[in-house]
Amino acid sequence: MQEQAPLKVLTVQEVAQVLKTDREKVEKLIASGRLPAMVLPGQEVRIRAEDLLTFLKNETAQYTELKRKYHSYQQERLEKLERALQQLKIIPEKLNHGLQGELNRAAGDYSRVLELKEVFEDIYKLTRRILKTQQRVESRKSSDHDDYFQQLEIEWQEWEREIEKWQDRFLTRAKKAGKKLNFGLAQVYQNLVQILINEWDKIRKENF
């Protein structure tokens, strides 16, 4: 009967070389139980080659699954960001719609129409800001996937701050109108704030 070859065992340093890492990280793997090891009578630690191979197979499988989940999440998040940034155009549309009733009531009242002109100009500026964002998104679609994803995240974070700025802008204008005893214009701006908040919340709830 042919004698079996002795089982190959490796030192911690040899395992570190195989894994292309340092000794300390290998010792942490052993301490955590992820990498089985045996302690020789002289307190020397050895790792069976068979256990190292099993560890590599398991870790590779886990890494592959984590990578798949990450890419799946990233793709889902990217699609949500694209959709949310596209839906921003709904905000000025709703603001204009809300303002249209005021304009209809002001028919024939020239001074009232002039007051509302300022409001339309604000909404127009917001519209232009949104269009520029959407143009940037379109122009970056051909970029590297990770770079494109990062740019979308930046655009969304900027809009988190941008909406707060527009909310403050409308409230400031409402206070200014109120001080001039122009309560009609003050109410218009307060209504715009409510529309802005409602539509922004709707976009976030629908996508995130």
Side-chain angles (χ1 to χ4, degrees), residues 129 131-140 155 158:
R129 176 79 177 79
L131 286 174
K132 284 180 181 178
T133 291
Q134 293 176 341
Q135 286 166 0
R136 276 199 300 273
V137 169
E138 283 298 319
S139 67
R140 288 168 179 166
E155 290 285 356
E158 286 180 354

Side-chain angles (χ1 to χ4, degrees), residues 3-197:
E3 186 180 343
Q4 281 189 328
L7 190 65
K8 173 68 174 172
V9 293
L10 303 169
T11 65
V12 172
Q13 188 58 43
E14 286 172 332
V15 172
Q17 290 172 357
V18 172
L19 298 179
K20 296 182 179 179
T21 187
D22 55 52
R23 183 187 182 92
E24 185 180 349
K25 287 183 180 176
V26 174
E27 289 172 345
K28 285 182 179 178
L29 287 173
I30 293 170
S32 69
R34 289 167 64 191
L35 178 60
M38 51 188 176
V39 182
L40 301 181
Q43 298 301 305
E44 293 180 345
V45 177
R46 294 290 183 270
I47 299 93
R48 299 191 311 166
E50 181 181 339
D51 289 334
L52 178 58
L53 286 172
T54 301
F55 167 80
L56 287 169
K57 287 176 184 176
N58 291 340
E59 290 293 311
T60 301
Q62 289 174 18
Y63 171 75
T64 302
E65 178 61 15
L66 285 172
K67 189 176 179 182
R68 184 195 68 76
K69 286 181 177 179
Y70 168 72
H71 283 299
S72 176
Y73 158 78
Q74 192 185 47
Q75 185 60 35
E76 184 181 354
R77 172 77 178 174
L78 185 147
E79 289 170 0
K80 286 178 178 178
L81 286 168
E82 281 185 328
R83 188 164 56 247
L85 288 167
Q86 282 296 322
Q87 288 176 353
L88 287 175
K89 64 185 178 183
I90 293 171
I91 293 175
E93 289 174 3
K94 293 288 185 178
L95 293 174
N96 272 314
H97 180 74
L99 190 57
Q100 194 61 47
E102 291 294 327
L103 192 63
N104 291 339
R105 282 190 286 275
D109 185 345
Y110 186 67
S111 62
R112 186 82 173 121
V113 172
L114 284 178
E115 288 173 0
L116 296 173
K117 179 177 178 288
E118 182 184 71
V119 186
F120 273 111
E121 286 173 351
D122 280 337
I123 296 174
Y124 176 74
K125 287 175 185 175
L126 177 59
T127 304
R128 292 293 302 162
R129 176 79 177 79
I130 290 171
L131 286 174
K132 284 180 181 178
T133 291
Q134 293 176 341
Q135 286 166 0
R136 276 199 300 273
V137 169
E138 283 298 319
S139 67
R140 288 168 179 166
K141 277 190 174 181
S142 58
S143 306
D144 172 76
H145 183 277
D146 289 340
D147 182 58
Y148 176 54
F149 178 67
Q150 186 178 11
Q151 291 298 328
L152 288 183
E153 288 283 17
I154 291 171
E155 290 285 356
W156 182 251
Q157 288 166 13
E158 286 180 354
W159 272 101
E160 292 274 5
R161 295 186 290 271
E162 190 73 24
I163 292 297
E164 286 185 15
K165 278 169 56 180
W166 280 95
Q167 183 178 332
D168 291 342
R169 181 188 185 114
F170 290 153
L171 287 173
T172 300
R173 289 187 181 274
K175 288 178 184 176
K176 186 178 176 182
K179 286 179 180 178
K180 291 181 178 180
L181 303 181
N182 193 337
F183 299 113
L185 186 59
Q187 187 61 52
V188 168
Y189 272 115
Q190 287 171 355
N191 291 343
L192 291 182
V193 169
Q194 196 55 54
I195 292 171
L196 182 68
I197 293 171

